[in-house]
Short mmCIF file of all heavy atoms in Angstrom, two decimals:
data_model
loop_
_atom_site.label_atom_id
_atom_site.label_comp_id
_atom_site.label_asym_id
_atom_site.label_seq_id
_atom_site.Cartn_x
_atom_site.Cartn_y
_atom_site.Cartn_z
N SER A 36 28.19 -13.39 -31.54
CA SER A 36 28.65 -12.54 -32.66
C SER A 36 29.92 -11.73 -32.19
O SER A 36 30.73 -11.42 -33.08
CB SER A 36 27.49 -11.70 -33.07
OG SER A 36 27.14 -10.81 -32.12
N PRO A 42 39.87 -11.87 -33.20
CA PRO A 42 41.01 -12.64 -33.69
C PRO A 42 41.88 -13.15 -32.63
O PRO A 42 42.02 -12.60 -31.56
CB PRO A 42 41.71 -11.59 -34.52
CG PRO A 42 41.39 -10.28 -33.87
CD PRO A 42 40.03 -10.43 -33.32
N GLN A 70 24.52 0.49 -23.44
CA GLN A 70 23.54 0.87 -22.44
C GLN A 70 23.49 2.40 -22.25
O GLN A 70 22.47 3.05 -22.10
CB GLN A 70 23.75 0.14 -21.12
CG GLN A 70 22.64 0.43 -20.18
CD GLN A 70 22.91 -0.13 -18.78
OE1 GLN A 70 24.03 -0.06 -18.26
NE2 GLN A 70 21.98 -0.79 -18.13
N VAL A 83 23.02 -10.23 -17.58
CA VAL A 83 22.54 -11.03 -16.47
C VAL A 83 22.16 -12.41 -16.92
O VAL A 83 22.50 -13.38 -16.24
CB VAL A 83 21.32 -10.24 -15.75
CG1 VAL A 83 20.76 -11.22 -14.79
CG2 VAL A 83 21.84 -9.02 -15.08
N ALA A 87 24.07 -15.91 -16.02
CA ALA A 87 23.27 -16.95 -15.35
C ALA A 87 23.51 -18.34 -16.17
O ALA A 87 23.62 -19.40 -15.57
CB ALA A 87 21.86 -16.59 -15.30
N PRO A 176 -0.42 -5.66 -12.04
CA PRO A 176 0.20 -5.08 -13.28
C PRO A 176 -0.53 -5.48 -14.51
O PRO A 176 -1.10 -6.55 -14.60
CB PRO A 176 1.65 -5.62 -13.12
CG PRO A 176 1.81 -6.12 -11.80
CD PRO A 176 0.46 -6.58 -11.37
N ILE A 180 -2.42 -9.16 -15.46
CA ILE A 180 -3.93 -9.20 -15.82
C ILE A 180 -4.17 -9.81 -17.18
O ILE A 180 -4.96 -10.73 -17.34
CB ILE A 180 -4.52 -7.75 -15.79
CG1 ILE A 180 -4.57 -7.35 -14.36
CG2 ILE A 180 -5.93 -7.77 -16.38
CD1 ILE A 180 -5.00 -5.83 -14.18
N HIS A 196 -27.36 -23.73 -7.25
CA HIS A 196 -26.81 -23.36 -8.56
C HIS A 196 -25.76 -24.44 -8.94
O HIS A 196 -25.60 -24.72 -10.02
CB HIS A 196 -26.20 -21.99 -8.60
CG HIS A 196 -27.22 -20.83 -8.47
ND1 HIS A 196 -28.07 -20.64 -9.54
CD2 HIS A 196 -27.58 -20.00 -7.48
CE1 HIS A 196 -28.85 -19.60 -9.28
NE2 HIS A 196 -28.56 -19.19 -7.99
N ALA A 199 -27.58 -27.26 -10.51
CA ALA A 199 -28.09 -26.90 -11.91
C ALA A 199 -26.91 -26.89 -12.87
O ALA A 199 -27.18 -27.13 -14.03
CB ALA A 199 -28.70 -25.52 -11.87
N LYS A 227 3.10 -13.91 -12.05
CA LYS A 227 4.10 -12.94 -12.36
C LYS A 227 5.30 -13.69 -12.98
O LYS A 227 6.12 -14.26 -12.27
CB LYS A 227 4.53 -12.13 -11.16
CG LYS A 227 3.49 -11.20 -10.60
CD LYS A 227 4.03 -10.36 -9.48
CE LYS A 227 3.04 -9.35 -8.96
NZ LYS A 227 3.51 -8.57 -7.87
N ALA A 228 5.35 -13.70 -14.29
CA ALA A 228 6.34 -14.51 -14.97
C ALA A 228 7.71 -14.00 -14.65
O ALA A 228 8.61 -14.84 -14.43
CB ALA A 228 6.10 -14.42 -16.52
N HIS A 300 -14.50 12.50 -21.75
CA HIS A 300 -14.65 13.89 -22.23
C HIS A 300 -14.90 14.87 -21.07
O HIS A 300 -14.83 16.09 -21.28
CB HIS A 300 -15.81 14.02 -23.16
CG HIS A 300 -15.71 12.99 -24.33
ND1 HIS A 300 -14.67 12.93 -25.22
CD2 HIS A 300 -16.51 11.92 -24.67
CE1 HIS A 300 -14.73 11.97 -26.13
NE2 HIS A 300 -15.93 11.35 -25.76
N THR A 318 -2.14 0.90 -5.54
CA THR A 318 -1.07 0.66 -4.45
C THR A 318 -1.14 1.80 -3.47
O THR A 318 -0.98 1.54 -2.30
CB THR A 318 0.32 0.63 -5.15
OG1 THR A 318 0.36 -0.59 -5.95
CG2 THR A 318 1.38 0.44 -4.08
N ALA A 324 -4.57 3.15 3.27
CA ALA A 324 -5.62 2.58 4.16
C ALA A 324 -4.97 1.63 5.24
O ALA A 324 -5.48 1.71 6.35
CB ALA A 324 -6.50 1.72 3.26
N ARG A 331 3.72 -5.58 5.40
CA ARG A 331 3.92 -6.99 5.86
C ARG A 331 3.51 -8.04 4.87
O ARG A 331 4.14 -9.04 4.84
CB ARG A 331 3.09 -7.19 7.14
CG ARG A 331 3.37 -8.46 7.92
CD ARG A 331 2.72 -8.50 9.22
NE ARG A 331 1.31 -8.20 9.23
CZ ARG A 331 0.70 -7.15 9.71
NH1 ARG A 331 1.49 -6.23 10.41
NH2 ARG A 331 -0.53 -6.99 9.67
N ASP A 332 2.48 -7.73 4.02
CA ASP A 332 2.05 -8.64 3.06
C ASP A 332 3.08 -8.99 2.01
O ASP A 332 3.38 -10.11 1.76
CB ASP A 332 0.76 -8.06 2.39
CG ASP A 332 0.18 -9.02 1.40
OD1 ASP A 332 0.62 -10.19 1.33
OD2 ASP A 332 -0.76 -8.69 0.68
N THR A 377 6.49 14.18 43.45
CA THR A 377 6.36 12.94 44.17
C THR A 377 6.63 13.22 45.73
O THR A 377 7.00 14.35 46.02
CB THR A 377 7.42 11.98 43.71
OG1 THR A 377 8.73 12.53 43.95
CG2 THR A 377 7.27 11.61 42.26
N LEU A 384 11.60 19.75 48.87
CA LEU A 384 11.16 21.08 48.75
C LEU A 384 10.79 21.69 50.17
O LEU A 384 11.10 22.91 50.46
CB LEU A 384 9.96 21.26 47.89
CG LEU A 384 10.25 21.02 46.36
CD1 LEU A 384 8.94 20.98 45.56
CD2 LEU A 384 11.15 22.18 45.74
N GLN A 385 10.23 20.90 50.96
CA GLN A 385 9.90 21.31 52.32
C GLN A 385 11.15 21.68 53.18
O GLN A 385 11.16 22.50 54.09
CB GLN A 385 9.03 20.35 53.09
CG GLN A 385 7.64 20.16 52.53
CD GLN A 385 6.87 18.98 53.13
OE1 GLN A 385 7.43 18.10 53.66
NE2 GLN A 385 5.50 18.99 52.95
N THR A 409 -10.38 21.85 41.39
CA THR A 409 -11.23 20.73 41.78
C THR A 409 -10.49 19.40 41.88
O THR A 409 -10.73 18.56 42.74
CB THR A 409 -12.38 20.59 40.79
OG1 THR A 409 -13.06 21.84 40.69
CG2 THR A 409 -13.34 19.50 41.18
N HIS A 426 -7.31 36.21 32.42
CA HIS A 426 -8.65 35.72 32.67
C HIS A 426 -8.61 34.37 33.44
O HIS A 426 -7.65 33.57 33.27
CB HIS A 426 -9.37 35.42 31.31
CG HIS A 426 -9.52 36.72 30.55
ND1 HIS A 426 -10.69 37.57 30.77
CD2 HIS A 426 -8.85 37.32 29.58
CE1 HIS A 426 -10.67 38.60 29.90
NE2 HIS A 426 -9.44 38.44 29.19
N TRP A 474 -11.13 13.08 25.68
CA TRP A 474 -10.57 12.52 26.90
C TRP A 474 -9.27 11.66 26.75
O TRP A 474 -8.69 11.25 27.81
CB TRP A 474 -11.72 11.59 27.55
CG TRP A 474 -12.79 12.34 28.09
CD1 TRP A 474 -14.10 12.33 27.58
CD2 TRP A 474 -12.83 13.22 29.17
NE1 TRP A 474 -14.87 13.25 28.29
CE2 TRP A 474 -14.14 13.78 29.27
CE3 TRP A 474 -11.86 13.65 30.11
CZ2 TRP A 474 -14.51 14.71 30.21
CZ3 TRP A 474 -12.17 14.63 31.07
CH2 TRP A 474 -13.52 15.16 31.11
N ALA A 496 -3.55 3.04 47.90
CA ALA A 496 -4.34 3.77 48.91
C ALA A 496 -5.30 4.79 48.25
O ALA A 496 -6.41 4.96 48.73
CB ALA A 496 -3.33 4.52 49.82
#
Side-chain angles (χ1 to χ4, degrees):
S36 63
Q70 187 187 44
V83 170
I180 291 175
H196 290 289
K227 288 185 177 179
H300 308 299
T318 297
R331 185 171 55 245
D332 183 7
T377 62
L384 290 170
Q385 289 172 343
T409 304
H426 297 273
W474 292 109

